[in-house]
Amino acid sequence: MTETSRNADTMEAGDHRPAAPLDHAAALTIIIGIMLAMFLSALEQTIVAPALATIGRSLADVEHLSWVVTSYLLTATVATPLFGKLSDIYGRRTMMLIAVSIFIAGSIACALAPTIGALILGRALQGLGGGGILPLAQTVIADLLSPRERPVVQAYSSTMFMAACILGPVLGGVLTDYVHWSLIFWINVPLGALALFMTDRSLRKLPRNERPHKLDFIGAGLMVAAALALLLALSWGGVRYAWAGPEILGLLGGSVLLWGLFGWRLVRAPEPFLPLSMIRQPVVGMIVVAGFFGVGTIIGLSIFVPLYLELVLGQSPSGAGLALIAFMVGASSGSMFAGRAIARFDRYKRVPLVGLPVAIAVLIALAVEPAGHSLAGIATLLAIGGAGLGPMYPMTTVVIQNAVKPHQLGTATGTLNFFRQLGGAIIVATFAAIVLGGLDAGAGGLTLAKLTGGGAAADFAALFRFVFIAAVIFLSIALVAVLLIEERPLRGPARAPASSARAAAE
């Protein structure tokens, strides 16, 4: 171990290396560049959904359409912690360029795909790049700004991420209806090239916090395999195979075994994939739990609220989309308020401690009376609930970055995003099990066609009551985790990046 490494190990958790002397224009260029890259990653998660039917007809394969979405989500989830760790070894700029390049290559492969199989492979390649962009962008913000300066910018990035998720289905539908579905992927090429150019030039000026590491390939492989087995089980359970079938039970059992081996590797490896000094910190553990259940519930509600509006309240797809926009607008507003409040308040936990009970109260109201709401009424409730949930995005990111050493920022941010996405997958599977398992699907499982083709609104209302109850339980766990987080002061002055840079230079 080098002297530099020994010195880094003795640094107090949460210390932040002063930023290099950057003027306002340089700092702004960095932030715009990484947000453009993040926008592409977020947009691609939802833009393909409206085009699926058209793609199936164009490529003459409907049976495997679901994998066009699933392949991206699977590879994006497993890539998230890998890119975070690698950025601590090789630097943010190098890994961001690799992630964006992989994303562009995957987009070209998708646009040129002659078959569904080729499209699925292209989407998997896209996911590898897209999954690396988000944690890298959040880590770059942490490198550029002190912990007290980060919340506002992290809130902007959260708002942009949610806006991209809303814009995705709209843009995908327009391009598919009026041009061609392949343009959904072609538009990533010029935008990706612009992001590549901006990040290449701007990130050369970024302060460097990487240090020599040895990548634990065995540990990384075990974690990826364990997550992949779990996500496959959640994707196939109740849809392709029965939950109690040998295929799903085998995947779940294999995942448990692999997670156990991963835990054993963490203890035995000379330099484990996730540093024990980091994961043993109570702050890190509790913020991961809060992100898993809090952000995971937001993802689950984003997917199931439109289905609830259509099946229970009889809304059209456009009406359901409007209500979902109200939810996202509320979440974006809550995220922006939280970013500014966390930067100003020493007792920053008060923001989510107020927001989460508000969201829980809204979900309780929906659970008590799932039917009988007007579109305006449900949009109002969802906007209020979204405002309560919005602070979970910037708060979890800022707190975990404030708790670790500078050379662990990429690993910590990638780990948090991995568990937030994994939480979303598990909570989505839980909601699906409640809705799909509560109806007699008959032979072959309950498909979307069967679901929309029968069943009374009262039956669906009873099922969605339990969905909202489950959401209340998940958010209550997140609330307890936030309560248990040690409230460490955010380091650094609450000043603009340019001011911070001048202070560092002096």
Side-chain angles (χ1 to χ4, degrees), residues 81-82 85-86 89-90 212-220 265 271-273:
L82 291 175
K85 177 72 173 182
L86 289 170
I89 301 174
Y90 300 109
H213 287 280
K214 291 182 179 179
L215 184 60
D216 179 17
F217 289 101
I218 296 177
R265 180 66 183 176
E271 187 173 349
F273 185 73

Side-chain angles (χ1 to χ4, degrees), residues 202-459:
S202 61
L203 292 185
R204 292 177 186 272
K205 304 176 182 179
L206 189 71
R208 300 178 68 104
N209 289 317
E210 66 265 21
R211 49 165 286 190
H213 287 280
K214 291 182 179 179
L215 184 60
D216 179 17
F217 289 101
I218 296 177
L222 287 171
M223 190 195 71
V224 169
L228 186 60
L230 177 59
L231 291 173
L232 284 174
L234 296 176
S235 299
W236 285 340
V239 179
R240 190 180 183 93
Y241 304 106
W243 282 105
E247 298 88 356
I248 301 302
L249 292 179
L251 284 170
L252 291 174
S255 180
V256 170
L257 176 61
L258 289 167
W259 281 119
L261 291 173
F262 176 64
W264 174 83
R265 180 66 183 176
L266 289 181
V267 176
R268 300 297 297 270
E271 187 173 349
F273 185 73
L274 299 180
L276 291 177
S277 61
M278 182 187 78
I279 62 179
R280 283 173 177 166
Q281 290 189 53
V283 173
V284 173
M286 286 299 101
I287 205 65
V288 165
V289 172
F292 183 97
F293 288 101
V295 177
T297 300
I298 297 174
I299 296 172
L301 290 174
S302 299
I303 293 174
F304 274 83
V305 161
L307 193 61
Y308 157 73
L309 292 167
E310 293 180 38
L311 297 179
V312 178
L313 302 184
Q315 294 293 330
S316 65
S318 59
L322 289 174
L324 184 61
I325 289 176
F327 175 71
M328 288 301 179
V329 168
S332 299
S333 301
S335 177
M336 289 299 303
F337 172 78
R340 296 183 179 277
I342 291 171
R344 294 180 58 187
F345 300 154
D346 290 332
R347 308 286 295 183
Y348 51 81
K349 281 198 331 184
R350 293 176 181 175
V351 180
L353 289 179
V354 172
L356 284 174
V358 169
I360 290 172
V362 167
L363 290 169
I364 290 175
L366 292 174
V368 170
E369 183 55 54
H373 296 285
S374 65
L375 181 60
I378 200 70
T380 301
L381 285 174
L382 290 174
I384 295 172
L389 289 171
M392 292 302 294
Y393 275 101
M395 194 277 291
T396 51
T397 302
V398 169
V399 171
I400 199 170
Q401 290 177 342
N402 188 55
V404 301
K405 302 172 184 178
H407 65 270
Q408 294 176 335
L409 281 172
T411 302
T413 307
T415 299
L416 173 64
N417 280 285
F418 170 74
F419 281 104
R420 290 198 300 201
Q421 289 181 252
L422 187 62
I426 291 176
I427 289 173
V428 166
T430 302
F431 290 171
I434 293 172
V435 175
L436 303 183
L439 296 171
D440 183 11
L446 187 61
T447 65
L448 182 60
K450 292 179 182 178
L451 183 61
T452 56
D459 297 332

Side-chain angles (χ1 to χ4, degrees), residues 40 100 103-109 111 183-196:
L40 289 174
V100 175
F103 183 82
I104 294 173
S107 297
I108 295 174
L183 205 63
I184 289 174
F185 305 109
W186 282 123
I187 62 169
N188 293 327
V189 178
L191 292 177
L194 178 61
L196 203 62

Side-chain angles (χ1 to χ4, degrees), residues 2-43:
T2 66
E3 185 65 28
T4 301
S5 300
R6 284 193 293 269
N7 291 338
D9 285 336
T10 61
M11 293 175 65
E12 180 181 351
D15 283 351
H16 183 79
R17 182 177 299 181
L22 296 176
D23 56 26
H24 179 74
L28 186 61
T29 301
I30 291 175
I31 292 172
I32 292 175
I34 62 173
M35 284 196 176
L36 175 59
M38 191 188 302
F39 180 84
L40 289 174
S41 174
L43 188 70

